[in-house]
């Protein structure tokens, strides 16, 4: 096999305790999956889960104990942070039942669903796709993956984010509207999940803007902290 040009390398995430890396296939994101965040976005009640996708190449992969760098993106003056628990899929499938979802999970990581909120808001108003607000370059920072067996019970873990040392987001994964199993059930009804898929499971309340020079430190209890500086 030869190509007309050198293909972009497969983006991949380190796995704690292993030399092999986790190759990213797709990045799925769940919208408005914590009640207090849905409220701050102007919505209430339990909607059916909905999804959007970021290209795998938008991942900013940050090794444990290091600070990653994300360039402040173009076209926005309202770049928001969204701390999220990321679920890494190890075994694919379609029409997976919530009760069987755990078998498909490889591990977990801490991720940021960075958002050009002004552009997303404009697209919402016009009923247009969110891509420009969500799926831009470097919009998906992620820390190392911890294998499921070693991650503890992430379903009841504290989830938090600080900007320049100040608390911005703090909640608990138990407050997800659609839990991980239910999310996988809905997602796998719409797409064929593949090994290498990442699911950004949604953000709790407290989303707000960052500017160049800010340092974001965020975590989910039991997983390595993710630190990203906005350049
Ligand atoms: Mn999000």
């Amino acid at each position: 096999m030869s190509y007309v040009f050198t293909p972009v390398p497969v983006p991949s995430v380190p796995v704690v305790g292993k030399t092999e890396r986790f190759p990213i296939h797709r990045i799925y994101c769940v919208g408005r999956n914590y009640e207090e965040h849905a409220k701050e976005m102007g919505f209430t009640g339990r909607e059916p889960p909905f999804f959007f996708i970021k290209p795998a190449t938008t991942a900013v992969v940050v090794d444990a104990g290091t600070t990653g760098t994300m360039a402040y993106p173009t076209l926005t003056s309202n770049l928001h942070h969204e701390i999220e628990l990321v679920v890494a899929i190890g075994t694919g499938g379609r029409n997976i039942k919530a009760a069987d979802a755990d078998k498909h999970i490889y591990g977990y990581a801490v991720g940021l669903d960075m958002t050009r909120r002004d552009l997303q808001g404009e697209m919402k108003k016009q009923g247009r796709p969110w891509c420009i607000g969500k799926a831009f370059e470097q919009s998906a920072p992620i820390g190392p993956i911890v294998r499921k067996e070693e991650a503890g019970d992430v379903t009841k873990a504290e989830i938090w984010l600080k900007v320049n040392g100040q608390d911005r987001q703090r909640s608990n994964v138990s407050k997800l509207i659609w839990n991980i199993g239910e999310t996988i059930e809905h997602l796998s009804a719409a797409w064929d999940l593949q090994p290498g898929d990442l699911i950004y499971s949604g953000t709790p309340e407290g989303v707000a803007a960052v500017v160049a020079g800010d340092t974001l430190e965020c975590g989910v209890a039991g997983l390595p902290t993710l630190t990203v500086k906005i350049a």
Side-chain angles (χ1 to χ4, degrees):
M1 169 85 77
S2 62
Y3 298 99
V4 296
F5 52 83
T6 306
V8 174
V10 176
S12 64
V13 186
V15 178
V16 172
K18 282 184 83 76
T19 50
E20 297 88 354
R21 296 173 68 91
F22 181 94
I24 305 174
H25 175 244
R26 289 178 181 164
I27 300 176
Y28 295 99
C29 303
V30 188
R32 299 196 287 263
N33 205 14
Y34 286 82
E35 189 179 351
E36 294 304 316
H37 172 63
K39 285 182 186 164
E40 74 182 351
M41 292 285 104
F43 296 84
T44 52
R46 197 189 206 216
E47 313 163 87
F50 66 93
F51 307 99
F52 54 92
I53 292 179
K54 300 189 187 220
T57 49
T58 62
V60 175
V61 179
V62 183
D63 288 329
T66 71
T67 298
T69 303
M70 173 191 178
Y72 194 91
T74 59
L75 300 180
T76 187
S77 53
N78 197 17
L79 175 66
H80 273 205
H81 55 75
E82 296 191 358
I83 166 70
E84 311 207 355
L85 169 67
V86 179
V87 182
I89 297 294
T91 305
R94 66 165 68 155
N95 293 321
I96 299 164
K97 291 295 158 214
D100 298 325
D102 196 58
K103 293 180 212 147
H104 296 264
I105 297 173
Y106 179 81
Y108 300 96
V110 175
L112 281 164
D113 166 18
M114 298 303 289
T115 303
R116 292 193 283 210
R117 192 72 73 199
D118 39 4
L119 297 182
Q120 183 202 22
E122 192 54 37
M123 292 301 109
K124 278 185 188 171
K125 229 184 292 172
Q126 298 184 28
R128 290 180 177 171
W130 287 7
C131 308
I132 200 166
K134 286 290 195 181
F136 54 93
E137 306 303 338
Q138 303 193 327
S139 60
I142 185 169
I145 291 171
V146 176
R147 282 171 286 173
K148 167 175 75 177
E149 301 75 23
E150 293 164 6
D153 186 4
V154 295
T155 66
K156 294 185 182 68
E158 186 169 43
I159 180 168
W160 58 273
L161 177 141
K162 293 178 180 190
V163 177
N164 304 327
Q166 301 284 318
D167 250 41
R168 286 272 189 95
Q169 295 186 268
R170 190 169 291 275
S171 185
N172 194 288
V173 176
S174 62
K175 294 185 178 171
L176 278 172
I177 296 172
W178 297 95
N179 67 31
I180 301 303
E182 292 167 334
T183 295
I184 288 174
E185 178 168 327
H186 280 91
L187 193 57
S188 68
W191 287 274
D192 290 352
L193 287 187
Q194 300 281 346
D197 285 339
L198 298 176
I199 306 168
Y200 282 57
S201 58
T203 196
E205 68 276 18
V207 300
V210 290
V211 296
D214 283 348
T215 298
L216 289 72
E217 196 188 351
C218 51
V220 172
L223 305 178
T225 299
L226 169 64
T227 307
V228 176
K229 190 176 168 73
I230 310 296

